[in-house]
């Protein structure tokens, strides 16, 4: 909804304009000389009402804040979606599309001391969902923050700071995205995919092709969401690759190869960008493969303008 139409919505008519008008008209009838003060009061109260109903971003890039865990949805034995509460029902995280947050915790070390550990994660929800945000996290045996998150229960708080990252998506940033994700590397991809599809009604024409690689079929995170998005939007397509595929598997098998990239992703061009996110060995292999296919050489630290961007 545009800002102009929003101010003509029922919530403002019923909650601001009618009460303000009644206050002013009432003064005109009962005590005319009070009308200027009534008008001023109506203006102040109406302005506050409008301001308080707006979505307010809460992230601070240089300061950790506590967010309460209100819901924990277990996806598998080592994966869960954590829903975190924002200060008000109209608050938004304020995370630009393509960027991520830092989660911190003070954890005991092997020598008996304690140390603050910080890790980066990309929420799978966006600012179109006020009042809370969702983070998908896979717990690893040697993980620090991931194991800490798995141990939390509803009601506990988590320290978060942000936004951070070099990628900031804007509509029609490129003509075509090619994406290669492995495991939990799907989260920044999903964030951008959802933003593109939400932007269709206002003119976002970006095409997206995704290769999503995992070990086993049960490891494919958010598959139902991805399939639903691909079914609803003709501009988004996904190709799954498994190391250990089940019988009658119709996707890719093994590691992502240059042949798969050539077949399923867009060819190198000035208006094409290749996005990568996954385990470091996979990213290293994909950078090398993409260069061999004609993409510009990926840099050690990616910048927004790079043709090959690794999160």
């Amino acid at each position: 909804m545009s800002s102009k139409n929003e101010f003509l919505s029922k919530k403002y008519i019923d909650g601001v304009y009618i009460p303000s008008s009644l206050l002013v008209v009432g003064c005109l009838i009962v005590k005319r000389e009070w009308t200027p003060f009534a008008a001023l009061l109506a203006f102040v109260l109406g302005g506050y009402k409008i301001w308080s109903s707006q979505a307010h971003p809460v992230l601070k890039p240089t300061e950790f804040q506590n967010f309460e865990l209100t819901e924990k949805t277990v996806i598998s034995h080592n994966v869960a979606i954590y829903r975190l509460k924002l200060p008000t029902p109209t608050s938004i995280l304020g995370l630009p599309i393509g960027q991520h947050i830092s989660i911190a915790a003070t954890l005991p070390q092997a020598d008996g001391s304690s140390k603050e550990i910080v890790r980066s994660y990309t929420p799978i929800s966006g600012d179109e969902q006020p009042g809370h945000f969702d983070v998908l996290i896979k717990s690893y045996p040697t993980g620090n923050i991931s194991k800490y998150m798995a141990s939390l229960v509803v009601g506990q708080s988590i320290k978060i700071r942000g936004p951070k990252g070099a990628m900031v998506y804007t509509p029609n940033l490129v003509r075509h995205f090619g994406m290669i994700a492995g495991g939990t590397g799907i989260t920044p991809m999903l964030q951008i995919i959802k933003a593109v599809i939400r932007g269709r009604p206002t003119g976002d024409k970006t095409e997206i092709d995704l290769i999503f690689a995992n070990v086993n079929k049960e490891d494919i995170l958010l598959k139902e969401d991805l399939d639903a998005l691909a079914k609803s939007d003709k501009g988004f397509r996904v190709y799954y690759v498994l190391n250990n595929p089940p019988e009658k598997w119709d996707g890719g098998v093994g590691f992502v190869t240059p042949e798969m990239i050539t077949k399923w992703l867009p060819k190198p061009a000035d208006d094409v960008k290749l996005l990568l996110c996954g385990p470091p060995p996979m990213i290293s292999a994909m950078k090398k493969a993409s260069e061999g296919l004609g993409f510009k050489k990926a840099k050690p630290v990616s910048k927004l303008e790079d043709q090959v961007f690794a999160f």
Side-chain angles (χ1 to χ4, degrees):
M1 180 184 291
S2 70
S3 58
K4 181 179 178 181
N5 290 335
E6 182 183 3
F7 288 122
L8 295 176
S9 65
K10 190 175 188 297
K11 72 174 181 178
Y12 288 126
I13 293 173
D14 292 348
V16 178
Y17 307 141
I18 291 177
S20 297
S21 299
L22 290 175
L23 176 61
V24 174
V25 171
C27 276
L28 277 170
I29 296 172
V30 177
K31 207 168 183 67
R32 182 178 293 270
E33 60 269 27
W34 285 8
T35 302
F37 301 104
L40 178 62
L41 180 60
F43 177 79
V44 171
L45 293 177
Y48 175 76
K49 177 79 173 180
I50 291 174
W51 177 85
S52 63
S53 67
Q54 298 295 302
H56 300 289
V58 300
L59 273 180
K60 298 178 181 179
T62 60
E63 180 184 334
F64 280 104
Q65 301 177 82
N66 288 311
F67 295 90
E68 181 185 345
L69 178 65
T70 59
E71 190 176 331
K72 182 177 176 180
T73 304
V74 176
I75 304 300
S76 68
H77 70 284
N78 63 352
V79 178
I81 295 175
Y82 301 84
R83 174 158 290 185
L84 301 164
K85 183 181 179 182
L86 293 171
T88 72
T90 58
S91 295
I92 58 173
L93 193 59
L95 186 71
I97 302 300
Q99 299 208 322
H100 46 274
I101 58 174
S102 295
I103 296 180
T106 301
L107 303 176
Q109 303 299 297
D111 62 2
S113 64
S114 294
K115 181 180 178 181
E116 185 176 67
I117 306 296
V118 180
R119 294 290 183 270
S120 296
Y121 294 94
T122 303
I124 59 173
S125 58
D127 287 346
E128 78 285 351
Q129 176 183 296
H132 60 264
F133 63 101
D134 299 328
V135 184
L136 182 146
I137 297 178
K138 183 174 183 177
S139 178
Y140 295 93
T142 58
N144 288 304
I145 294 296
S146 65
K147 285 200 300 182
Y148 165 75
M149 291 293 294
S151 71
L152 295 178
V153 296
V154 170
Q156 290 184 283
S157 293
I158 301 163
K159 292 198 299 182
I160 291 176
R161 180 178 67 191
K164 59 182 294 188
M167 169 61 71
V168 179
Y169 177 74
T170 52
N172 299 305
L173 177 67
V174 292
R175 174 180 57 84
H176 203 151
F177 275 124
M179 297 179 171
I180 304 175
T184 53
I186 191 62
T187 55
M189 307 301 188
L190 182 62
Q191 187 190 50
I192 292 174
I193 293 164
K194 285 183 174 179
V196 169
I197 294 174
R198 282 199 309 272
R200 297 295 192 211
T202 53
D204 197 329
K205 298 178 181 179
T206 310
E207 294 282 316
I208 304 175
D209 282 285
L210 164 68
I211 294 177
F212 188 17
N214 288 276
V215 177
N216 303 303
K217 187 177 180 181
E218 55 269 25
D219 295 326
I220 304 176
L221 301 172
L222 305 169
K223 187 176 187 298
E224 289 185 3
D225 293 34
L226 291 167
D227 289 344
L229 290 169
K231 185 177 181 180
S232 67
D233 188 274
K234 64 180 182 180
F236 168 56
R237 296 158 292 274
V238 57
Y239 180 70
Y240 299 102
V241 178
L242 295 178
N243 283 4
N244 303 317
E247 291 184 13
K248 298 181 181 179
W249 173 250
D250 60 358
V253 177
F255 295 112
V256 177
T257 64
E259 291 74 23
M260 291 180 190
I261 297 174
T262 298
K263 182 175 181 180
W264 299 103
L265 299 186
K267 304 296 185 290
D270 290 341
D271 54 1
V272 167
K273 192 180 290 289
L274 184 62
L275 305 181
L276 310 174
C277 192
M282 175 186 177
I283 297 305
S284 179
M286 294 302 95
K287 285 182 176 181
K288 184 176 180 180
S290 64
E291 186 180 359
L293 293 172
F295 286 92
K296 295 177 183 177
K297 185 176 181 179
K299 297 176 183 176
V301 178
S302 296
K303 296 182 179 180
L304 179 61
E305 62 269 20
D306 293 347
Q307 187 178 46
V308 179
F309 186 99
F311 288 94

